[in-house]
Amino acid sequence: DHQWLQFHGNTHFTSPYETQSQTTTITLPHGALAVVEAEPSPDARNEPASLVYDVFHGLSGNKDSPLNLRFPSRTPLVTVAALDRDIRVGLFGALTVSDRLTLRHDGAQLTGPFSRLDMSPDAGVFQSFTAVLPAGASQVAVTDSLGRLHHVEEERMETAHRVRVTPRYPLYGGWSASLAISYVLPAGKEGSTIRIPYLCQLHDNQVIDYATVRLTFPPHATNVTLHSMAASLIEDSEETGFLRIASRPVLVFRGQNLTAAQNMELHLTFITSPLQFIELLLQFLASVIASAAAGRVLYAIFGDEAAVLTAPAARPKSD
């Protein structure tokens, strides 16, 4: 179907004071012709790529003149229906970030069968996007339900790391796709400090319906403090680690109807303890002892046959 967009506003700037004269110019997409529904309907003229209202004279204060404008547009209207961001802080401060996205094309729905002829640049088809990652991101991987995507182009810059992603199939109106972007950030110079954007940035006009950000800190981390008000804390819990020796502090943030203007920086600090390195050593020793104990149990039960049970099968000799 043809895609039409609507604009609701006023034919002039509403001011508490009297305005002697005013001209309103509305810039439209290239080649678009607007359908004006105004009350009262003032004289307006269509010019190339713009709609110009004649000069208003003697406007009284707080006067409104509703304007409803409809115009065709082929711009893909892509919404992030859901964002699940998982940030894990390593023992030495490195961050592992995983963004699971559900993209939805809210434009005019595709009618009829799929055709490659509909993939012209002016057809309103969403074919690719550019994700802006923090500078220093490495080990970037983009996956979907079928595996890893190979149509990924990376551009490293001083202030950001741009990743151009082409989904496995294009998105028409009414279609959706799920994918995940994961990467690793090195440990910062400030030690036990986290500075990372609250949301992932796909484009300047992005809208995120629902977002969940989960931060998992190292074991025995204490005094976790949030220094920015980019988001409100929803849940403060703990995650049980391997062998239940220690737990990891977990913070969860949630938001709805978020825009690019709300993508502020999350600034958190915490204090690490030497006990986390002792725990890592205990986990390693426990795994070694468990492997040795399992071998002794097999030997006690099966005797020399235990070596046959655990040894790889011999390949048959060929003539």
Side-chain angles (χ1 to χ4, degrees):
D1 293 343
H2 295 289
Q3 179 173 280
W4 290 77
L5 301 183
Q6 291 184 347
F7 171 78
H8 301 282
N10 292 323
T11 57
H12 56 79
F13 175 73
T14 302
S15 172
Y17 307 102
E18 181 180 355
T19 304
Q20 295 182 355
S21 63
Q22 179 182 328
T23 301
T24 302
T25 302
I26 302 175
T27 303
L28 303 174
H30 178 70
L33 183 63
V35 177
V36 183
E37 299 174 0
E39 184 181 353
S41 179
D43 294 334
R45 61 180 185 276
N46 269 299
E47 295 186 355
S50 64
L51 182 67
V52 180
Y53 283 90
D54 290 336
V55 178
F56 295 94
H57 296 282
L59 295 175
S60 59
N62 298 321
K63 181 180 180 180
D64 292 331
S65 178
L67 169 66
N68 297 325
L69 192 66
R70 294 193 303 120
F71 57 93
S73 174
R74 289 295 186 178
T75 303
L77 304 180
V78 178
T79 303
V80 180
L83 166 64
D84 292 328
R85 163 164 279 203
D86 188 11
I87 305 173
R88 301 186 68 88
V89 185
L91 293 176
F92 301 99
L95 302 181
T96 302
V97 184
S98 176
D99 293 331
R100 294 181 295 275
L101 305 165
T102 300
L103 305 178
R104 184 184 66 239
H105 195 324
D106 291 332
Q109 296 187 3
L110 176 67
T111 57
F114 167 77
S115 174
R116 291 286 178 180
L117 299 178
D118 296 331
M119 292 181 58
S120 61
D122 298 331
V125 183
F126 182 74
Q127 302 186 38
S128 64
F129 64 91
T130 301
V132 181
L133 309 182
S138 61
Q139 304 180 30
V140 179
V142 184
T143 58
D144 60 3
S145 59
L146 299 180
R148 185 162 183 170
L149 297 180
H150 298 283
H151 296 283
V152 178
E153 302 177 2
E154 299 184 35
E155 180 183 0
R156 298 183 180 274
M157 307 174 66
E158 294 183 0
T159 58
H161 185 167
R162 297 181 179 272
V163 180
R164 183 177 179 84
V165 180
T166 301
R168 200 175 298 273
Y169 56 87
L171 293 184
Y172 289 85
W175 291 19
S176 61
S178 298
L179 51 88
I181 304 175
S182 60
Y183 55 93
V184 177
L185 292 175
K189 299 180 180 179
E190 301 178 6
S192 302
T193 301
I194 299 176
R195 293 181 180 272
I196 189 171
Y198 172 47
L199 307 171
C200 64
Q201 180 178 349
L202 304 183
H203 54 86
D204 295 336
N205 298 323
Q206 70 180 9
V207 176
I208 301 177
D209 289 344
Y210 300 96
T212 301
V213 181
R214 176 186 175 93
L215 287 95
T216 305
F217 295 86
H220 301 289
T222 57
N223 293 340
V224 178
T225 306
L226 176 64
H227 298 278
S228 62
M229 301 303 295
S232 57
L233 179 63
I234 300 299
E235 180 182 347
D236 184 358
S237 60
E238 293 183 348
E239 176 184 287
T240 303
F242 178 65
L243 296 180
R244 299 184 180 272
I245 296 177
S247 58
R248 293 170 172 258
V250 177
L251 300 181
V252 179
F253 304 89
R254 289 190 177 93
Q256 298 182 10
N257 195 22
L258 304 173
T259 63
Q262 297 168 284
N263 189 15
M264 302 180 182
E265 183 183 60
L266 279 177
H267 179 200
L268 300 102
T269 57
F270 60 96
I271 299 177
T272 57
S273 172
L275 293 177
Q276 63 182 351
F277 301 102
I278 299 177
E279 179 194 358
L280 183 63
L281 178 60
L282 291 177
Q283 290 180 1
F284 174 74
L285 293 177
S287 61
V288 173
I289 294 173
S291 300
R296 292 180 64 88
V297 171
L298 289 176
Y299 183 79
I301 297 176
F302 299 100
D304 294 338
E305 296 181 358
V308 178
L309 294 175
T310 58
R315 296 182 179 179
K317 296 183 179 180
S318 58
D319 296 336

